[in-house]
């Protein structure tokens, strides 16, 4: 999502061939017509952004600073920053465990997906039929979260596949999603499983851009495969690794569909994350103000990570 | 090739990972064939006793899959069509037409990609509830349920996509101006230039954007869940299968749910496998979603 901002947006000023002559008047008319046409072409998009982007942002900000019971818009009562301070007040569950869970969820996903994708991508790079393997790893990404969540929920059950494997190995069953200690890590594993394919995609592209001559030079110097991996592959893969890290972290901070399907935030608040809390406060309890405030707090966290990403990539660009 | 060392180790790792990726899908398919008392009981068995299709019949009847399917198809088609059309038109204007405010609008389009979707659930829902003169509302959006009870609500927040406009614009910038200018000199209006020259030239990017949008719209869950709670008649496949699982034959809930899921993910899987080249390029361009 955010990375699109960093990809080249430079625009070449297209020089237009212009022949001076008696047709100047006609050209001026044509140019005026182009302005009208341009705005006609842009009208649907601009109208949409006005109604579904700018208006909602303003409305959400207003709600975040108000008390409102729903129903009549005339009843909105301006409060100032009370909803925000309320989130961080004593006894509020927002900071701990909810925001802590959010960060742990995002961090856990990044670590698992990163390790998994680096290992698999470097191995795929050594094989034939790379496209086939990539497709296989990509299947979870095009699958609806309802399917992913339900299958894994079922696999985590006492009579499910995961416990079946544990039992076959002589280990006792684990109540993965029911035990508050294992619930969050269990959901993290599923989220990492579902997102590792896109990380592999980015990393295989990164690996392709490493010149073969580096490997040849290393081989001439007698470097072993482990040395080559640590001294050549990993350092030259750094831009791709960074991209994977940050985009996965951002997506981990916001995602809650999987959690709704698998645990609904439970047991207790063990798997409750900020976006889910916002959703429930709003649509289950009608606490529109606090819910909107929570959304903006999470947005600030996401924005911070995004800015760090932009800053790192911009600095990289200057180095090169 | 120097990198190609230890191929057996690489094979071992890649195949193990692929098995871990595919096994949940296989478990889903296997479970969808299991009979009453066969799923979720100890000890775990991977294979069903018989490949019986009765769960699929139950899913179609008890989950009312045809209706869910219809709603999903309508919402997905409207979203994909609208995103392609609006992105192409706006992309063309931003890439090839000269008008005051162009840079400002382009910057606005870029900035729309900065806002995460969760920020909009609440205001979008409330805006649709209070939509004037719809669903029993008066001119000031009071009195009724607004657009939230209509099937249009499923698609409305997704009709235009900033990334789509950006993608189209980036692609169209490289179309030579001379071609467009020649058509204009031949007397073609801007609409004809767009439709006859620009649209045919952008087919690959249309396919990429269309595919990304299609998969995303088909799989959308959170928003559809909100809208379906207000009106079960517009329930989509993911929501229906999730919400209705409490109402199916309790002795084989999971097998029926899995059968429904297999049927619901098939369209996307088939389209993805056929056109994966375009989808993967789209993922690369969007920088990993």
């Amino acid at each position: 999502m955010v990375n699109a901002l960093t990809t080249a947006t430079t625009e070449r000023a297209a020089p237009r061939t212009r022949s001076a002559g008696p047709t100047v008047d006609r050209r001026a008319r044509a140019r005026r017509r182009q302005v009208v046409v341009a705005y006609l072409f842009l009208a649907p998009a601009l109208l949409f952004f006005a109604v579904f982007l700018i208006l909602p942002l303003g409305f959400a900000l207003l709600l975040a600073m108000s008390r409102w019971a729903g129903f009549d818009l005339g009843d909105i009562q301006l409060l100032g920053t009370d909803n925000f301070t309320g989130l961080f007040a004593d006894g509020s569950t927002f900071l701990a465990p909810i925001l802590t869970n959010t960060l742990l969820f995002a961090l856990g996903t990044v670590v698992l997906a990163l390790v998994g994708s680096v290992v698999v991508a470097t191995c795929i790079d050594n094989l034939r039929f790379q496209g086939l393997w990539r497709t296989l790893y990509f299947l979870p990404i095009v699958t609806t979260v309802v399917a992913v969540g339900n299958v894994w929920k079922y696999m985590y059950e006492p009579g499910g596949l995961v416990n079946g494997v544990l039992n076959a190995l002589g280990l006792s069953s684990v109540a993965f999603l029911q035990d508050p200690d294992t619930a969050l890590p269990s959901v993290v594993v599923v989220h990492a499983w579902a997102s590792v394919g896109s990380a592999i995609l980015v990393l295989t592209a990164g690996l392709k851009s490493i010149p073969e001559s580096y490997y040849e030079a290393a081989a001439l110097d007698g470097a072993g495969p482990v040395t080559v991996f640590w001294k050549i592959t990993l350092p030259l893969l750094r831009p791709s690794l960074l991209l994977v890290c940050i985009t996965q972290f951002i997506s981990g901070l916001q995602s809650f569909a999987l959690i709704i399907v698998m645990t609904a935030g439970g047991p207790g608040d063990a798997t409750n994350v900020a976006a889910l809390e916002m959703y429930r406060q709003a649509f289950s309890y009608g606490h529109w103000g606090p819910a909107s405030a929570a959304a903006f707090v999470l947005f600030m966290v996401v924005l911070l990570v995004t800015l760090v990403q932009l800053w790192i990539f911009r600095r990289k660009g200057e180095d090169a | 090739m120097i990198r190609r060392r230890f191929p057996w180790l690489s094979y071992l790792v890649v195949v193990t990972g692929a098995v871990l990726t595919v096994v949940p899908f296989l478990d889903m398919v296997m479970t969808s064939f299991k009979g009453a008392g066969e799923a979720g009981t100890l000890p775990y068995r991977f294979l069903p006793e018989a490949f019986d299709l009765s769960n699929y019949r139950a899913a179609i009847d008890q989950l009312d899959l045809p209706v869910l399917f219809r709603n999903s198809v309508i919402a997905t088609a409207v979203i994909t069509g609208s995103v392609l059309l609006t992105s192409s038109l706006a992309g063309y204007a931003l890439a090839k037409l000269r008008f005051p405010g162009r840079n400002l609008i382009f910057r606005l389009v870029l900035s729309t990609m900065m806002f995460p979707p969760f920020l909009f659930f609440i205001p979008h829902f409330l805006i649709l509830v209070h939509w004037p003169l719809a669903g029993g509302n008066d001119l000031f959006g009071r009195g009724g349920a607004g657009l939230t009870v209509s099937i249009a609500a499923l698609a409305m927040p997704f009709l235009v996509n900033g990334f789509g406009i950006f993608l189209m614009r980036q692609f169209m910038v490289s179309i030579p101006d001379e071609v467009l200018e020649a058509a204009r000199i031949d007397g073609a209006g801007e609409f004809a230039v767009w439709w006859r020259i620009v649209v045919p030239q952008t087919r690959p990017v249309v396919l990429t954007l269309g595919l990304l949008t299609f998969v995303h719209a088909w799989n959308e869950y959170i928003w559809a869940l909100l809208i379906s709670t207000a009106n079960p008649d517009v329930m989509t496949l993911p929501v229906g299968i999730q919400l209705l699982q409490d109402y199916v034959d309790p002795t084989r809930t999971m097998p029926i749910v899995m059968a429904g899921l297999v049927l619901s993910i098939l369209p996307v899987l088939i389209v993805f496998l056929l056109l994966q080249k375009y989808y993967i390029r789209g993922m690369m361009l969007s920088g990993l979603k």
Side-chain angles (χ1 to χ4, degrees):
Chain A
M1 169 197 82
V2 179
N3 176 51
L5 290 171
T6 60
T7 55
T9 61
T10 46
E11 169 194 357
R12 277 178 303 137
R16 293 204 166 196
T17 45
R18 204 176 289 175
S19 59
T23 54
V24 170
D25 189 41
R26 217 182 64 200
R27 283 186 178 278
R29 234 187 3 246
R31 206 166 304 142
R32 262 203 310 276
R33 209 177 52 210
Q34 220 176 63
V35 175
V36 176
V37 170
Y39 275 97
L40 269 177
F41 279 21
L42 283 166
L46 292 179
L47 197 68
F48 177 88
F49 288 139
V51 179
F52 286 99
L53 187 91
I54 294 166
L55 178 68
L57 281 177
F59 190 31
L61 202 58
L62 174 72
L63 280 179
M65 298 199 280
S66 312
R67 179 185 295 138
W68 186 48
F71 313 111
D72 200 337
L73 290 172
D75 294 344
I76 294 180
Q77 229 183 320
L78 215 60
L79 282 181
T81 54
D82 285 12
N83 287 328
F84 289 93
T85 48
L87 288 176
F88 298 102
D90 285 342
S92 160
T93 52
F94 186 72
L95 203 56
I98 294 168
L99 210 53
T100 323
N101 282 346
T102 313
L103 292 170
L104 285 175
F105 181 82
L107 208 64
T109 312
V110 170
V111 171
L112 282 183
L114 197 67
V115 171
S117 60
V118 167
V119 169
V120 172
T122 32
C123 288
I124 285 184
D125 202 44
N126 289 340
L127 301 181
R128 283 199 251 172
F129 308 116
Q130 298 187 3
L132 173 84
W133 296 116
R134 243 179 14 191
T135 306
L136 268 181
Y137 282 100
F138 221 73
L139 288 179
I141 293 169
V142 294
T143 308
T144 169
V145 67
V146 172
V148 170
N150 274 303
V151 170
W152 276 91
K153 188 175 159 188
Y154 171 62
M155 290 192 348
Y156 276 142
E157 275 177 16
L161 189 143
V162 180
N163 276 315
V165 171
L166 287 182
N167 294 342
L169 293 172
L171 300 165
S172 52
S173 299
V174 178
F176 289 98
L177 298 177
Q178 287 76 34
D179 184 335
D181 293 332
T182 53
L184 191 63
S186 304
V187 184
V188 165
V189 166
V190 181
H191 197 248
W193 174 85
S195 52
V196 84
S198 56
I200 289 174
L201 191 66
V202 172
L203 293 183
T204 44
L207 285 169
K208 288 250 177 312
S209 67
I210 301 177
E212 194 73 27
S213 56
Y214 287 30
Y215 292 100
E216 283 159 14
L220 284 179
D221 290 345
V226 178
T227 320
V228 168
F229 178 77
W230 285 108
K231 299 275 171 172
I232 296 181
T233 309
L234 266 192
L236 288 172
L237 207 54
R238 231 176 52 192
S240 313
L241 289 174
L242 211 61
L243 179 66
V244 169
C245 259
I246 292 175
T247 44
Q248 296 276 5
F249 195 73
I250 292 174
S251 104
L253 287 176
Q254 337 178 348
S255 92
F256 64 108
L258 186 71
I259 293 177
I260 285 196
V261 172
M262 290 187 72
T263 63
D269 268 334
T271 54
N272 198 1
V273 291
L276 176 60
E277 177 69 6
M278 166 213 84
Y279 183 88
R280 281 208 301 212
Q281 287 293 335
F283 298 107
S284 303
Y285 310 121
H287 297 161
W288 304 100
S292 301
F296 273 99
V297 171
L298 183 58
F299 176 48
M300 287 303 140
V301 177
V302 172
L303 200 63
L304 199 72
V305 179
T306 311
L307 290 177
V308 169
Q309 175 199 22
L310 286 176
W311 179 70
I312 291 173
F313 277 98
R314 200 153 292 167
R315 224 186 40 171
K316 281 268 141 53
E318 279 164 16
D319 287 351
Chain B
M1 285 286 176
I2 307 298
R3 326 183 170 187
R4 310 254 147 90
R5 285 202 194 173
F6 300 103
W8 58 270
L9 186 65
S10 296
Y11 266 113
L12 189 71
V13 171
V14 172
V15 169
T16 310
V19 168
L20 289 177
T21 307
V22 174
V23 154
F25 288 96
L26 292 180
D27 197 46
M28 173 172 13
V29 174
M30 293 304 159
T31 307
S32 74
F33 291 115
K34 288 179 180 169
E38 233 191 299
T41 47
L42 292 167
Y44 170 80
R45 273 200 205 89
F46 183 64
L47 291 171
E49 269 162 30
F51 285 91
D52 185 6
L53 285 173
S54 63
N55 293 320
Y56 285 85
R57 232 165 299 148
I60 291 168
D61 295 340
Q62 297 189 30
L63 293 175
D64 211 358
L65 278 189
V67 172
L68 301 177
F69 214 85
R70 188 201 63 197
N71 292 335
S72 274
V73 167
I74 292 174
T76 305
V78 169
I79 291 170
T80 309
S82 167
V83 164
L84 288 179
L85 182 70
T86 56
S87 300
S88 185
L89 285 172
Y92 174 61
L94 291 173
K96 288 297 170 191
L97 299 179
R98 307 200 139 196
F99 57 94
R102 184 166 83 164
N103 283 337
L104 188 76
I105 293 176
F106 185 54
R107 234 168 271 160
L108 170 82
V109 169
L110 286 182
S111 67
T112 62
M113 293 189 272
M114 197 177 75
F115 298 103
F118 67 82
L119 206 51
F120 294 97
F121 288 124
I122 295 171
H124 277 169
F125 188 79
L126 294 175
I127 285 171
L128 291 184
V129 169
H130 295 283
W131 198 272
L133 302 175
N137 277 350
D138 62 14
L139 188 61
F140 303 101
R142 287 176 304 198
L147 283 179
T148 47
V149 288
S150 109
I151 192 162
L154 283 178
M156 282 185 82
F158 308 105
L159 290 178
V160 176
N161 184 310
F163 170 71
I165 298 174
F166 170 74
L167 191 66
M168 285 287 182
R169 184 247 176 220
Q170 295 307 87
F171 195 86
M172 288 170 176
V173 163
S174 61
I175 298 176
D177 279 320
E178 290 74 19
V179 181
L180 308 178
E181 208 56 61
R184 286 182 194 128
I185 288 168
D186 286 347
E190 289 301 333
F191 188 81
V193 171
W194 170 76
W195 178 246
R196 298 235 180 89
I197 298 171
V198 175
V199 169
Q201 288 216 27
T202 47
R203 264 182 52 195
V205 74
V206 167
L207 214 53
T208 296
L209 179 61
L211 209 53
L212 279 181
T213 314
F214 165 77
V215 172
H216 200 262
W218 186 267
N219 290 341
E220 209 289 326
Y221 177 61
I222 302 284
W223 178 254
L225 177 65
L226 274 180
I227 297 304
S228 307
T229 316
N231 179 12
D233 289 342
V234 300
M235 217 175 252
T236 59
L237 274 169
V239 183
I241 294 172
Q242 180 65 30
L243 288 186
L244 298 179
Q245 52 179 288
D246 299 336
Y247 300 99
V248 298
D249 179 353
T251 60
R252 48 193 184 118
T253 305
M254 263 305 154
I256 293 174
V257 167
M258 293 300 161
L261 287 174
V262 169
L263 291 177
S264 81
I265 64 177
L266 269 183
V268 178
L269 282 190
I270 290 169
V271 171
F272 167 70
L273 290 177
L274 288 177
L275 299 170
Q276 51 157 315
K277 189 179 83 183
Y278 295 95
Y279 188 87
I280 283 177
R281 191 173 55 196
M283 289 294 289
M284 292 301 289
L285 288 169
S286 71
L288 208 142
K289 282 203 179 180

